[in-house]
Structure formats: structure tokens, C-alpha cells
Amino acid sequence: MPNNILRLLQERDSYISGVQMSSVLGITRAAIWKKITVLRKKGFIIEALPSKGYRLVKFPDLSEDHIAVSACGLLWKRILYYPSVNSTNEVAMTLSLQNGAESGTVIIADKQEKGRGRIGRQWISPPGVNVYMSIILQPAVKPRDAAVLTMLASVATAKALEKETGQSILLKWPNDLIMSGRKVGGILTEVRADPDKIKAAIIGIGINVNMDKRSFPSEVRRIATSLKAETGIDYSRSSVIIRVLRQFEACYKDFEKNGKRPVLEDMKTRSATLGKRITLADNKEICSGIAEDIDDLGMLHLRMDSGDIRLFSTGDINGID
Ligand code: BTN
């Protein structure tokens, strides 16, 4: 439930009096003061002048209230924040299994003890610096088409990060977000499905926001980056999340109206892979060839040196020429 006091303060560029607030919200001035105190404890800086009233001066870096007020509405219903979890995808899956958590629930954590990456990998998830979020949706999509949700999340996140940083973000198949040639984020989608129906899709989004280059473990330092490492700017994690949620909502509406094609086209336009000679490892073998296409099931079409085309649903692209 978005915080009404915060909404009022956010809507105003300047001061709003306690009297005005209590008449708009229908609660006493004492109750307003209590709620302001709670917001301050959560890290909001709110100025109070006896003659003028209250003014919001600064948001905390990561706040479920700020995110809920700015992003909740048609698609996003509930923002749940946890200081520490094993994995936000795990929390989302548990909630969805236990109480069928509402579509549009978003789980956010400051840190993850066991952040999950693709293919059973670990996702580095220290506190205080990055975005770890999982979205629960119940889309009218067949299980075989679930890859479109990952593509949609990749495209939406890329667009959002571009708006936030002013720098271009490419996509490396299947779901890496690439900034200046290095990985700045990734998507991990997990679904709960009957044979013909998705019961819940959990879309996990990890973004390296303010992480220092030297804090990455040595084995990924060469290939990973963060928004701050590339731009020198400290970003508000709430603002990054709000942008991603708004952009996701816009892409999702477009998908509901126009189907997969626009998502797929966006995905291809942003591809760091298509048309290039690549080396791809899946769990069985390593293959080289030209990345020729991504189809509407999210499969990569690789033209081998023999001229044959092979289709991959997963894999790791290690070399791009
Ligand atoms: C990848 O390997 O590229 C996918 C990384 C996905 C990481 C995010 S962080 C939030 C969510 N919770 C997880 O445990 N993983 C995803």
C-alpha cells in the first residue's frame, strides 16, 4: 500500500503544511507527525518549518516506500523489501507457492547470501551497492513461449539503464546486459507451470549499480562492470528500480497489444552477438560459427562452418570476433 504522506510530499516541489496534509488525508496533525517521524527513521530527509510546513529534501538510496509511490499502479501491486535473503528469486518462488502471491509483486533485497546466476552459477550480491529484484507475474503466455518474458525483461532493463545513464546498453544472448563491452547485469527467469499454462513467472533482475571495480572477484573482474564504474556517477538504487519497473510496464503493455514481434525486434537491434563470429559452449560441447538469428522462442541460430544451422536454447558465448 503506497505511503500517502510520501506521495503528497513527492508531489510537491515546495512545502506542504500539516493542516493541508491532515485535511487531504483525513487524519490528525499528530498522526501526520508520527508518520513523518517514521519516514525520517527510514532515511528520508524531511525539513519542517513552523511557518511553512514540511518539505521532502532527500530520499534514502533504497526504499520500498519510494518505489511503491513512484511505480505501483496498473501492473505493479506490491513492493516487498528484505535487508537480506538467500535469493530474491527463491523468496518470490516460495511466496508464489505458499499463497499464490499476487501478479505484480516485486521482491527487492539489499543483499543476497546465495544469489543465483544462470546455469547454476553464483550471482555476486554484496550489500549497499547493487540491485537484486524479482518480479512475480501471471502472464497469459504458454510455457513454451516463456523465453519471451526474459527477452522482454532484458529489453526493458536495457532501455531503462540507457535512460538512467545516457550510455548505450547492448544484449548478449541469451540475457546479459552489456555496457562498454562488459557485463553490467543479467536476467534469470524461473516458471511454475502446468503443461499448458504458466502459473507464475519469476523474473529475476540483477544490476551492478555502484559496485567498485576492485570489489569484483578476480575471476570476473575482466568481464564485469557497474553503472558507476563506467560513468563515475553514484546512482540511487530506488531510481534505477523505478525506471526498470516503469519501462517494463510499458514494454509489457506493448507485448499484450502487439505480441512478441516488437520485443524480438528490439532484442535483435540491441544484440551484441548477431552477425558476429562466436564461440559458444553449452553443457555438451563447444561450437564456433556465425550467430545468424534469434527466433521467437529465444533460440540462437548458429551457422556452422559446414553451412549447417544449429539451434541453441542455452549456452555461454565466450568469444565474439
Ligand atoms: C545471469 O546469470 O546473468 C542471471 C543473473 C540474475 C541475478 C538476479 S539478482 C536477483 C535475482 N535473484 C537471484 O538469485 N538471481 C536473480
Side-chain angles (χ1 to χ4, degrees):
M1 173 74 176
N3 186 315
N4 284 334
I5 299 256
L6 184 60
R7 190 186 293 284
L8 276 185
L9 287 167
Q10 257 188 249
E11 278 167 8
R12 290 288 168 117
D13 278 343
S14 66
Y15 295 87
I16 176 163
S17 73
V19 176
Q20 253 180 311
M21 275 196 193
S22 71
S23 97
V24 174
L25 300 177
I27 55 175
T28 63
R29 287 175 66 188
I32 303 264
W33 175 250
K34 253 193 189 166
K35 286 175 189 281
I36 295 273
T37 308
V38 172
L39 283 173
R40 281 179 169 157
K41 280 198 182 127
K42 289 181 174 177
F44 290 85
I45 299 184
I46 300 165
E47 196 180 21
L49 288 183
S51 54
K52 293 182 166 174
Y54 302 100
R55 185 172 73 96
L56 179 59
V57 179
K58 200 167 181 279
F59 296 92
D61 164 53
L62 183 59
S63 152
E64 61 187 319
D65 297 300
H66 180 189
I67 297 165
V69 166
S70 308
C72 280
L74 284 177
L75 186 59
W76 309 119
K77 301 294 178 205
R78 205 155 62 121
I79 310 293
L80 298 175
Y81 168 80
Y82 298 82
S84 175
V85 293
N86 274 341
S87 147
T88 54
N89 269 30
E90 184 186 289
V91 172
M93 190 56 87
T94 307
L95 287 177
S96 155
L97 281 167
Q98 279 170 354
N99 57 18
E102 191 183 14
S103 183
T105 302
V106 181
I107 319 292
I108 291 162
D110 181 44
K111 86 173 201 204
Q112 299 186 115
E113 296 290 349
K114 291 184 184 156
R116 301 180 195 157
R118 260 181 354 101
I119 343 183
R121 294 206 184 104
Q122 182 200 6
W123 185 257
I124 314 283
S125 308
V129 282
N130 295 332
V131 162
Y132 318 112
M133 63 194 276
S134 297
I135 288 162
I136 304 177
L137 286 175
Q138 279 149 358
V141 167
K142 296 266 176 242
R144 70 186 290 266
D145 287 330
V148 74
L149 298 171
T150 308
M151 293 197 244
L152 198 149
S154 307
V155 166
T157 308
K159 287 184 174 177
L161 296 184
E162 240 170 45
K163 285 184 183 156
E164 187 74 13
T165 63
Q167 297 215 10
S168 109
I169 305 282
L170 296 181
L171 298 172
K172 184 172 124 188
W173 184 89
N175 59 4
D176 289 355
L177 295 149
I178 304 292
M179 191 173 193
S180 308
R182 294 193 165 87
K183 179 159 174 165
V184 75
I187 314 288
L188 179 67
T189 303
E190 297 172 286
V191 292
R192 215 157 59 71
D194 285 337
D196 61 343
K197 185 171 180 275
I198 290 184
K199 287 178 158 173
I202 313 292
I203 303 168
I205 303 175
I207 306 164
N208 302 328
V209 178
N210 294 322
M211 192 155 161
D212 195 285
K213 265 239 135 147
R214 286 162 302 189
S215 309
F216 286 104
S218 54
E219 63 276 16
V220 298
R221 205 168 291 155
R222 205 174 41 83
I223 53 168
T225 193
S226 71
L227 303 184
K228 183 176 175 183
E230 296 305 325
T231 61
I233 295 168
D234 238 309
Y235 292 89
S236 146
R237 287 182 289 164
S238 292
S239 300
V240 171
I241 292 170
I242 291 162
R243 261 204 215 273
V244 171
L245 291 176
R246 286 181 175 163
Q247 189 64 57
F248 192 111
E249 181 162 347
C251 291
Y252 194 74
K253 274 191 197 140
D254 189 26
F255 166 63
E256 286 183 317
K257 197 163 153 227
N258 301 312
K260 300 184 202 178
R261 195 135 299 280
V263 182
L264 197 60
E265 288 312 315
D266 272 346
M267 176 91 192
K268 290 185 190 178
T269 311
R270 287 180 182 276
S271 176
T273 326
L274 286 183
K276 306 250 170 67
R277 185 171 181 83
I278 61 166
T279 304
L280 185 146
D282 73 357
N283 46 16
K284 289 183 249 138
E285 56 187 325
I286 297 175
C287 300
S288 292
I290 306 289
E292 215 164 72
D293 198 10
I294 299 168
D295 66 24
D296 61 358
L297 296 176
M299 308 267 261
L300 182 76
H301 294 209
L302 189 67
R303 184 171 294 278
M304 315 293 288
D305 294 338
S306 63
D308 291 347
I309 297 236
R310 288 195 48 190
L311 269 52
F312 291 86
S313 61
T314 186
D316 257 335
I317 295 176
N318 297 314
I320 303 183
D321 295 342

